[in-house]
Amino acid sequence: MSILHGPTTPFPADSTIPLLFTEQARGRPDAVAVVDADHRVTYAELDERSNRLAHLLRAQGVGPGSRVGVLLDRGHEMVTAVLAVLKAGGAYVPVGPGHPRERQREMLADAQATVTVSREELRLAAAWPSTPLPLPADSRALAYVLFTSGSTGRPKGVMVEHRSVLRLVCRTDYVSFGPDERIAQVADPSFDAFTFEVWGALLHGGTLCVIPAETVLTPGALGPALAAHRITTMFLTSALFTEVMTDRPDSFRGLRNLLVGGDVVDASRARRLAGSPRDLRPARFLNGYGPTETTTFAVCGPIESVPADATSVPIGRPIANTSCYVLDSGLRPVADGAAGELFIGGPGVARGYAGQPEQTRERFLPDPFATEPGARMYRTGDLVRCRADGMLEFLGRIDDQVKIRGYRVEPGEVEATLGRHPDIRQLAVVVEGAAGERRLVAHVVPAVPGTRPAGLREFLAGRLPEWMVPSAFMVHSALPLTATGKIDRAALPPAPPEGPDTDAVQPRTDLERELAELTAELLGLDRVGVTDDFFALGGHSLLAMRLVSQVNNRFATEVALGDFLYDPTVVRLAAEVSRGC
């Protein structure tokens, strides 16, 4: 059972995303396509708005083979933009407006984006005609380029074709899409779950409901939002699922489908949800696994129960039109039940990496088990085994890649970026902590012995997204080496808790003292100054969510997460608690 095939279903392999969307717009013009705050955009309106922008993009030279950067936040405008890019014949390249400018430039350059779409282009598009354009019909054309962390020091742009997207959301077996589906849009556009959310809804006449990031992160807010929007299906990263289940385990009641993934699913939280009364849990609870290179999901498995002694949750079986191979180092199938590296085949496999032919050849190999000429399989780097019941079990990575709050991170990319700091002579970036609590730690040797390089966190924050900035920086006179002269990462000491500066402002009231103790305990620190920045001490958005939840429960108040994120200090927390009491 080291070679597994999902069911073969007749998905529209020769069609394209805009062709299928146009069919829905013609058949359901007045149906609501996107709900975004006070905006209700019908299929007809979305069709017309994307046509206008597509005309503008065509006038700017966008056509088959073009890559178009999209610098917009989540919302109905982002959906309009990606649809317009596809109608113009191009491929969209989502680039977070909040990403550091240098990283934005690198991503657009690597993707060879010739045009970018921002709110200014949306404004200009209003003057262009709304008449339909001749739509591209090449299912093997590029649909989008998504960037993941790269071991070579630069992010890798994964090139995904139209047919790969259609294999994910059309005539598949893990979820039934249809016009009565209301799918939550919670993923960042640079995260491949965005593909599942947007096209799962819009290619079947369903409704895409944009849930604000603050709602997703604010303790207790997600459940009411899902109920208010009458959400039927959603995907949530494992880390966010863990947080919601810790605080509000009934948040998913009424859902038809809840998919979780992006990292190892916490077995205890999954056990809790699967064992909840039927009216307090989703009808179907699924573990979804798949690298960006295989178009969001390649393997899914229902989580119906989790044994009391289980420490992990199986990732499932191949979804429709997908093959999985568990192979040894010689690319031979392993014995039944043996561990091996997971390779994935089928039309969901991406074209490769933009501008990185060597990396493409290394990870995308000829598929010797396929009957289709020229078929390729993707080498995941994940160690798995196939259980007796046919379910795949994730065992770990065979390289240094990790998941930080659902995002893929190559420590090598962080090292390469930090290595450009002029005050560093040698460094190593390692991962500490278990799944769900992982953090990056940077060990550095200064260029000038006896000094302490300044501004390392700020240096990286200006070049990398937040989840790739190490939580701790340790300065050494030298790094330990192996007998062959390489850095001995296993010998690096664990990072001690980072406390505040010696001149940090101490608590001045009983409330500040109690909040400082709560914050320090959450961060694993001895103490916290009341003006210390929560994120500079190693915090992140999910820990902030947990802290606000604990504060609200302890003081019977309703501090908004956004207020704390705006000023992440104990002083601000104390002020908000006092205001709410």
Side-chain angles (χ1 to χ4, degrees), residues 136-389:
D138 182 7
S139 67
R140 302 305 302 269
L142 204 58
Y144 62 78
V145 180
L146 285 190
F147 280 85
T148 66
S149 183
S151 58
T152 61
R154 292 183 71 88
K156 296 182 294 189
V158 182
M159 301 184 292
V160 176
E161 300 173 348
H162 284 255
R163 77 161 187 164
S164 296
V165 176
L166 303 187
R167 156 264 178 200
L168 173 70
V169 299
C170 296
R171 302 284 184 89
T172 190
D173 63 333
Y174 65 99
V175 170
S176 296
F177 296 101
D180 61 340
E181 285 288 334
R182 297 177 63 86
I183 298 180
Q185 204 288 287
V186 300
D188 187 276
S190 61
F191 188 41
D192 61 355
F194 179 81
T195 305
F196 164 80
E197 296 168 343
V198 173
W199 306 124
L202 299 184
L203 301 190
H204 300 89
T207 303
L208 184 72
C209 302
V210 180
I211 311 294
E214 183 172 335
T215 300
V216 177
L217 292 174
T218 297
L222 180 60
L226 298 180
H229 283 286
R230 307 191 310 280
I231 297 298
T232 59
T233 295
M234 79 172 302
F235 170 82
L236 205 60
T237 63
S238 302
L240 272 172
F241 168 73
T242 297
E243 293 299 326
V244 175
M245 285 300 299
T246 300
D247 189 61
R248 297 289 193 278
D250 62 345
S251 296
F252 308 111
R253 67 167 74 192
L255 291 183
R256 292 177 189 164
N257 305 287
L258 171 65
L259 296 94
V260 297
D263 201 349
V264 175
V265 176
D266 184 281
S268 64
R269 304 310 198 280
R271 182 183 301 115
R272 183 178 184 182
L273 184 60
S276 298
R278 187 171 297 276
D279 62 336
L280 297 181
R281 56 182 167 88
R284 299 180 71 238
F285 177 29
L286 303 165
N287 192 356
Y289 163 92
T292 302
E293 290 87 346
T294 60
T295 316
T296 311
F297 298 129
V299 174
C300 276
I303 305 175
E304 297 172 344
S305 64
V306 181
D309 60 346
T311 58
S312 64
V313 179
I315 58 176
R317 299 181 176 86
I319 67 172
N321 304 300
T322 303
S323 298
C324 290
Y325 318 121
V326 186
L327 309 180
D328 62 19
S329 58
L331 305 185
R332 297 177 295 266
V334 301
D336 289 351
E341 185 177 359
L342 178 61
F343 291 72
I344 298 172
V349 176
R351 183 183 296 181
Y353 300 120
Q356 298 192 38
E358 291 186 8
Q359 289 277 311
T360 298
R361 285 192 293 269
E362 178 184 330
R363 308 298 292 194
F364 295 85
L365 308 178
D367 186 345
F369 310 102
T371 57
E372 179 186 2
R376 294 168 309 131
M377 60 182 183
Y378 173 68
R379 177 173 223 150
T380 68
D382 287 336
L383 191 67
V384 301
R385 74 177 182 92
C386 187
R387 307 190 322 181
D389 60 1

Side-chain angles (χ1 to χ4, degrees), residues 21 78 115 233 334 390 445 478 507 540:
F21 171 81
M78 165 61 80
V115 174
T233 295
V334 301
V445 176
H540 53 72

Side-chain angles (χ1 to χ4, degrees), residues 439-443 457 469-474 495-496 498 538:
R439 66 170 185 163
L440 296 174
V441 175
H443 297 262
R457 191 184 308 276
V469 177
S471 298
F473 295 82
M474 296 184 65
E498 285 193 359

Side-chain angles (χ1 to χ4, degrees), residues 62-119:
V62 174
S66 299
R67 288 89 183 273
V68 180
V70 181
L71 283 76
L72 293 167
D73 291 315
R74 290 196 301 118
H76 67 284
E77 292 179 331
M78 165 61 80
V79 176
T80 298
V82 297
L83 181 58
V85 171
L86 297 177
K87 285 184 172 183
Y92 58 89
V93 185
V95 178
H99 284 183
R101 291 292 179 89
E102 181 175 333
R103 188 173 180 85
Q104 290 181 4
R105 288 192 293 268
E106 287 182 354
M107 293 166 68
L108 293 172
D110 286 353
Q112 298 179 334
T114 56
V115 174
T116 58
V117 174
S118 65
R119 299 196 73 175

